[in-house]
Amino acid sequence: THLDITIKLSIKKKVKNMDDETTKYAGFWRRVIAVFIDSYVVGFMALNVCVLVIIAFLLYVSSVDHRALVLLPDILLGLSELGYGYILQTLTFFVWVAYFAGHHSSSKRATYGKMMLGIKVTDIDGFRISWMHGVWRYFAMYLSILTLFIGFLMAAFTKHKQALHDKVSKTLVIREGNCHFLPAIKSILISLLFLALMVSSSGYYAYRNLNHVFTTKNIEEFMQSLVTTMATEMESHLDYKQTESTP
């Protein structure tokens, strides 16, 4: 039909324009700065998630056992040995994936860092990518890391300034539109505000409902237990180092 022919012609025109001289591709340093900005933005987001999990855990333990504050250093040490840190690392990983895949597949087609530099991610034909395409692009980025970051350097000398993960995921990073500084700044400020509200509200809850836990005696015993646990851990670490260095 006439409509199908019109759509096909418009698609061909769009594909052709990606090789046109008017298309500006994002250079290596512009992309590096964007990633640097994004690392701060998503770092604050991941911090909020981790702090929320830790606070929820501490409040739960404190509500179950009034001696939890005194036993807290031993509890945290036991959790670290059970791999509790891996749980936080996994949560942080999912925040990173959701941030990059979600923003790249959004109507803006850019993370906050890319918005500040006026660059966007598209598919090889210049169209917006899907969520799963964004997830695949994120995982493909590890290929650029595994090549000792040479995959990232490819963006400096390839024809369309594609890094290795761009080529693998069939995406482009183009310069399009104006630079927007407000979204990134606003995101960091919101993250800091949320963190402050989360800590203050949990502190208020503990003050109102857990007075039997946060007594002067328990706090003193907590400090003594913390010092003892840290000293024990340091001695164990030093003994391990000496054993390891002994021929």
Side-chain angles (χ1 to χ4, degrees), residues 121-135:
V121 173
T122 71
D123 66 10
I124 205 70
D125 298 326
F127 295 107
R128 174 177 155 187
I129 64 174
S130 65
W131 161 264
M132 287 307 299
H133 198 163
V135 172

Side-chain angles (χ1 to χ4, degrees), residues 82-95:
L82 290 173
Y84 187 70
Y86 291 111
I87 297 175
L88 295 180
Q89 290 176 9
T90 302
L91 287 173
T92 302
F93 171 75
F94 281 116
V95 171

Side-chain angles (χ1 to χ4, degrees), residues 18-66:
M18 298 315 295
D19 288 322
D20 196 10
E21 293 181 357
T22 58
T23 302
K24 295 182 179 179
Y25 300 98
F28 174 76
W29 288 111
R30 187 178 289 262
R31 295 176 62 169
V32 168
I33 295 171
V35 170
F36 181 76
I37 296 168
D38 282 326
S39 64
Y40 275 94
V41 174
V42 74
F44 279 109
M45 292 180 179
L47 176 64
N48 277 305
V49 173
C50 292
V51 170
L52 179 62
V53 172
I54 292 171
I55 288 176
F57 169 77
L58 293 179
L59 291 178
Y60 171 75
V61 172
S62 299
S63 64
V64 171
D65 187 354
H66 73 280

Side-chain angles (χ1 to χ4, degrees), residues 165-208:
H165 56 279
D166 290 316
K167 287 187 171 293
V168 171
S169 61
K170 296 182 179 179
T171 55
L172 297 170
V173 183
I174 61 173
R175 292 170 57 186
E176 183 178 288
N178 299 321
C179 299
H180 301 282
F181 293 89
L182 189 59
I185 297 172
K186 193 160 54 173
S187 174
I188 292 175
L189 291 177
I190 290 173
S191 295
L192 289 173
L193 178 62
F194 182 75
L195 182 64
L197 288 173
M198 191 164 48
V199 173
S200 59
S201 60
S202 60
Y204 178 75
Y205 173 84
Y207 173 76
R208 295 283 295 179

